[in-house]
Amino acid sequence: MPTENERKYVLSDPAAVRALWAPEDWSEIRQGYLPGDARIRRQTRDGVASDSFTYKIAAAGRLIEIETAMTEPRDFDDLWPLTNRRIHKRRRTELDRHGLQWDIDLLLGPTGACYFAVAECEMPEAMDAPPDVLPALAPHIAYAVPRERQGEFVNSRLADPGYAASLTF
């Protein structure tokens, strides 16, 4: 099972970050959290939706992430009303020159305005930090989240715009 190992970076100027890539390069995500530690996600790009179910659990000093595709759209539709926290965001995924995956998320409020922007770098289990920041994002890094504060910047908590606004860094 894969160990989740990522570093997070709070971004400034979401409009400038969004302008780094063409509008069609961004996908739309609707994500909801089920009771317990599971989430469902519908990611739409170019009019095509794909759904997934994810469960994360801490075990033996690591965070294990189990993710599977949901092939029946009705499964997502049936589970969505059971979610107790929801997030709507735009996402751009990039690979850096080291082959590391960067997910750039612009979290959107009810009116569609961005209330928080964050990037995550997915890394192999033994890596502590990426060798360098994705060059396009470097001028927009407002805060490199230290390991001991990663839990404050998880999407399940950032789903609350008031909570996101209260973060200090």
Side-chain angles (χ1 to χ4, degrees), residues 34-111:
L34 295 163
D37 294 316
R39 75 159 190 242
I40 58 171
R41 174 186 288 165
R42 174 165 285 161
Q43 185 165 353
T44 306
R45 183 153 184 202
D46 298 326
V48 178
S50 60
D51 301 332
S52 63
F53 174 90
T54 303
Y55 181 77
K56 296 180 185 184
I57 189 167
R62 64 190 183 113
L63 183 61
I64 298 173
E65 180 179 41
I66 304 163
E67 189 166 75
T68 188
M70 296 178 10
T71 57
E72 294 291 327
R74 73 183 185 134
D75 293 341
F76 179 92
D77 296 336
D78 289 348
L79 287 170
W80 185 253
L82 303 177
T83 59
N84 53 27
R85 288 164 289 156
R86 297 175 177 168
I87 199 164
H88 180 206
K89 59 187 173 181
R90 299 261 187 261
R91 170 171 281 177
R92 169 68 183 165
T93 298
E94 279 287 309
L95 292 178
D96 69 14
R97 63 189 178 103
H98 307 286
L100 300 175
Q101 178 177 313
W102 288 78
D103 292 326
I104 300 99
D105 290 339
L106 305 178
L107 285 55
L108 308 176
T111 65

Side-chain angles (χ1 to χ4, degrees), residues 11-27 90-92 104 106 108 112-114 117 137 140:
L11 304 174
S12 63
D13 199 351
V17 170
R18 188 166 184 187
L20 291 171
W21 294 279
E24 62 270 12
D25 290 340
W26 292 86
S27 59
R90 299 261 187 261
R91 170 171 281 177
R92 169 68 183 165
I104 300 99
L106 305 178
L108 308 176
C114 180
L137 292 181
H140 304 288

